Amino acid sequence: MDAQGRGRADDFDPADQWVFDPNTGTYELRLDPADAPAPGPAGPGAPAPGRGSGPAGPEGGRGARKSGSGTGQNGSGGGGPRQNGDTRELPAQRDRRAGSRSATGGTPPSRRKPKPKKSAKKKALYWTSGALGFVLVAGCGGAFYLYQQLNGNISKVDVGKENPAVKDGPVNILIIGTDARSGKGNEGYGDAGSVGHADTTILMHVSKDRSNATALSIPRDMITDIPDCPTKKNGTTKTIPGERNVRFNTSLGQEDRDPGCTWRTVEKMTGLSIDHFMMADFNAVKELSEAVDGVEVCAAKPIDDPKSHLHLPAGKSVVKGEQALAFVRTRHSVGTGSDLSRIKLQQQFIGSMIRKMKSGDTLTSVPKLYDLAQAATKALTVDTGIGSAGKLVDLAKDLSRVDIKNITFATVPVLDNPKDRATVVLDEAKAAPLFQMIRADHSLSKTDGKDEKKDKGTSDDKQVPKAPADKVRVDVSNGGGPIGAAQETVDWLQNSKAAKLSTNAGNAPTKLAATRLEYAPNQADQAATLADWMGLPKSALKKTTADAGPKVPMKLILGKDFQGPGKSIEAPTKTPDGVQNVNADDKNICAK
């Protein structure tokens, strides 16, 4: 590593760029000696403050490392002894932190006041992720701002959407685990002929107020529709035709589909607007579990799966590396032996990983955080909106307010497919209210202690005057409701509400999970009237950026949640019965 490209020596630990500031109780990055206060007399014999008190190693760094800890670029420290003949002066921040003993053994008086000791909790990099809800992002939260090096680790895909890394409203992040065998370390896993399908998919919804999060697992073998998908390759955009009634996992890889195709498939299915995606391969589980020195898992009975090569006794075990990967891939020796049983193992593993990364021994270990940041960024392929270490850190800091006890794992409810026992189909009766609940930003957590707020809008919405019925101009189209829903709604508006400027616009170009009302800023009064008539929640209202012409109508698109004209589309505030869900902070979950 070139120490941020500033021409520094190759033989010092990147973690030494972080200096503890006693005034703030946190670490600060010092890339340039000019950034630091004037150093006192120092030498190579004393330990660096905040990095342990063991015997000093070469160049005044930490004491001797444990065998196997690594001293190269990929090791936990990244430093090492100086090369033969290297007489370059040490970086100023290293000299400043080396202690008070001189090279000749003297002990000159220090010109600086001794730094007060801080508790391990205060020394922690307070913004180190974890609470985002998925381990890949959690690792990026401890990225130490080594942007140049970490940026080189991250792969990006332009999916045609570039959203800001941080925003004020709810955040939806699509997390994809691919079964591709390409890439170092992946040769022995997955289907030898796989083009890299969406083997594991989790939609992470983080609430607007960052008080809770829902991690929704999507079964890979669920039959669904994949929409047309524009993809970019070598500067050329190509639209891949959609397909109906195919496995969800073919939304990636099949027909050269990229993560943007999975993105659009999930949006169409759930009615949620996705902000970002993150994709990783088999190596992610191995490297991240190694970086935190193992993850605790539990099995209600011994597991002996010859296909995944997982062998675990009953009770709790700590897994990492190959064994961790085997745990999240096994299914034949647990539950029903299906992918749904494997999803429960993955949820248990991720919850335990989050707890481990938020534990004190991880948060207060600079080398461990460095390893975690390296492993996370190397594992990631992301959209361009978060395609740098800096943006990933910003995202992790923003979402780290979510308490782990308010993170809930759930699975999209499905039924056996009567036409094909190897696949499943969406359980509409349970899925519709679940998706509606998430769209309304209602928590699935039972432990947040907060009263659910009705999604009726803000006080600002109530101040908008309502337009009279004869001024409400709207085109109604059917985007997922029952046959004839658009005409039924127009008849109701004209005959029951005297809204004579309502018209039937036929079928919408695409199906929507949720009913939507699109209106311009200068149509806010009309939208307020129509939303009140139709019982539309705030989440159904989509305001455009530009004003509309005097005779341009609003657009009301009836989605799958449409119950009939005038019937309130109200999201439930409790998890629908029969929807599998567990809390990320539950330490007593065991695979059965």
Side-chain angles (χ1 to χ4, degrees), residues 112-191:
R112 300 180 66 189
K113 294 181 180 179
K115 295 181 180 179
K117 293 184 177 180
K118 296 286 183 180
S119 67
K121 184 176 181 180
K122 288 184 179 180
K123 288 182 180 180
L125 300 178
Y126 72 95
W127 46 267
T128 303
S129 67
L132 176 59
F134 188 71
V135 296
L136 295 178
V137 188
C140 294
F144 301 155
Y145 289 103
L146 294 177
Y147 293 148
Q148 290 184 11
Q149 184 181 17
L150 296 177
N151 282 344
N153 294 341
I154 302 170
S155 299
K156 292 173 286 188
V157 173
D158 184 352
V159 297
K161 301 182 181 182
E162 185 163 342
N163 298 319
V166 176
K167 71 174 192 177
D168 292 333
V171 178
N172 296 305
I173 301 172
L174 190 64
I175 299 149
I176 306 170
T178 174
D179 61 358
R181 293 187 61 168
S182 59
K184 183 179 179 181
N186 293 323
E187 298 84 359
Y189 306 101
D191 181 0

Side-chain angles (χ1 to χ4, degrees), residues 436 439-440 442 454-457 466 489 492-493 497 514-517 526-541 556-559 561-572:
Q436 189 179 22
R439 288 195 301 268
H442 291 172
K454 296 290 184 180
D455 193 18
K456 295 292 188 181
K466 293 181 180 178
T489 300
W492 179 81
L493 287 171
K497 297 299 179 181
T515 296
R516 185 166 71 206
L517 174 59
Q526 298 181 51
T529 300
L530 187 58
D532 183 57
W533 289 343
M534 296 290 295
L536 300 178
K538 184 183 176 183
S539 59
L541 307 183
L556 176 62
I557 307 163
L558 306 177
D561 61 350
F562 178 72
Q563 302 295 318
K567 294 183 179 180
S568 178
I569 303 173
E570 190 64 48

Side-chain angles (χ1 to χ4, degrees), residues 118-359:
K118 296 286 183 180
S119 67
K121 184 176 181 180
K122 288 184 179 180
K123 288 182 180 180
L125 300 178
Y126 72 95
W127 46 267
T128 303
S129 67
L132 176 59
F134 188 71
V135 296
L136 295 178
V137 188
C140 294
F144 301 155
Y145 289 103
L146 294 177
Y147 293 148
Q148 290 184 11
Q149 184 181 17
L150 296 177
N151 282 344
N153 294 341
I154 302 170
S155 299
K156 292 173 286 188
V157 173
D158 184 352
V159 297
K161 301 182 181 182
E162 185 163 342
N163 298 319
V166 176
K167 71 174 192 177
D168 292 333
V171 178
N172 296 305
I173 301 172
L174 190 64
I175 299 149
I176 306 170
T178 174
D179 61 358
R181 293 187 61 168
S182 59
K184 183 179 179 181
N186 293 323
E187 298 84 359
Y189 306 101
D191 181 0
S194 176
V195 291
H197 293 126
D199 194 54
T200 298
T201 305
I202 297 175
L203 176 60
M204 173 67 69
H205 171 83
V206 183
S207 67
K208 178 179 179 179
D209 62 4
R210 307 300 186 254
S211 67
N212 64 84
T214 299
L216 188 63
S217 296
I218 302 175
R220 67 176 190 179
D221 296 323
M222 182 178 68
I223 297 300
T224 191
D225 295 340
I226 300 173
D228 293 347
C229 176
T231 62
K232 293 185 178 181
K233 192 171 183 180
N234 299 325
T236 302
T237 299
K238 177 177 102 172
T239 297
I240 301 173
E243 289 185 273
R244 293 178 57 83
N245 298 320
V246 293
R247 290 181 191 243
F248 171 81
N249 68 344
T250 60
S251 63
L252 177 69
Q254 202 80 5
E255 309 297 335
D256 290 329
R257 294 188 178 105
D258 67 11
C261 301
T262 307
W263 178 317
R264 290 168 174 83
T265 301
V266 175
E267 284 189 332
K268 181 178 180 180
M269 178 196 309
T270 64
L272 288 157
S273 295
I274 293 173
D275 298 289
H276 303 291
F277 88 86
M278 298 180 180
M279 183 173 68
D281 57 20
F282 296 113
N283 263 331
V285 174
K286 293 190 291 183
E287 294 175 0
L288 287 166
S289 61
E290 290 279 7
V292 297
D293 199 24
V295 177
E296 185 177 82
V297 296
C298 182
K301 61 182 181 180
I303 296 178
D304 187 6
D305 188 346
K307 292 193 175 182
S308 69
H309 307 293
L310 179 65
H311 308 285
L312 284 181
K316 294 184 177 180
S317 302
V318 175
V319 297
K320 59 182 177 179
E322 296 286 349
Q323 195 175 33
L325 179 58
F327 183 82
V328 298
R329 293 188 67 239
T330 196
R331 63 187 175 95
H332 295 286
S333 298
V334 294
T336 61
S338 68
D339 183 53
L340 299 178
S341 297
R342 174 162 53 191
I343 284 174
K344 293 180 180 179
L345 291 181
Q346 293 168 349
Q347 293 174 347
Q348 180 195 154
F349 180 86
I350 294 169
S352 183
M353 173 75 90
I354 295 172
R355 292 195 299 272
K356 182 65 176 287
M357 287 193 296
K358 289 178 70 67
S359 66

Side-chain angles (χ1 to χ4, degrees), residues 404-480:
I404 187 173
K405 72 176 184 289
N406 294 331
I407 299 175
T408 304
F409 289 102
T411 303
V412 171
V414 292
L415 299 168
D416 288 337
N417 186 358
K419 297 180 181 179
D420 179 6
R421 298 287 295 176
T423 61
V424 292
V425 294
L426 189 68
D427 185 343
E428 292 277 3
K430 296 175 183 176
L434 175 63
F435 296 156
Q436 189 179 22
M437 186 176 180
I438 298 174
R439 288 195 301 268
D441 207 22
H442 291 172
S443 172
L444 271 66
S445 172
K446 301 180 180 68
T447 60
D448 61 3
K450 297 177 64 177
D451 294 330
E452 295 292 349
K453 299 177 181 178
K454 296 290 184 180
D455 193 18
K456 295 292 188 181
T458 65
S459 57
D460 291 337
D461 299 321
K462 296 177 182 178
Q463 295 173 8
V464 175
K466 293 181 180 178
D470 62 349
K471 299 295 183 183
V472 175
R473 187 185 296 270
V474 60
D475 280 353
V476 182
S477 60
N478 192 350

Side-chain angles (χ1 to χ4, degrees), residues 65-72 74-79:
R65 300 182 186 273
K66 293 181 180 179
S67 174
S69 64
T71 55
N74 297 327
S76 63

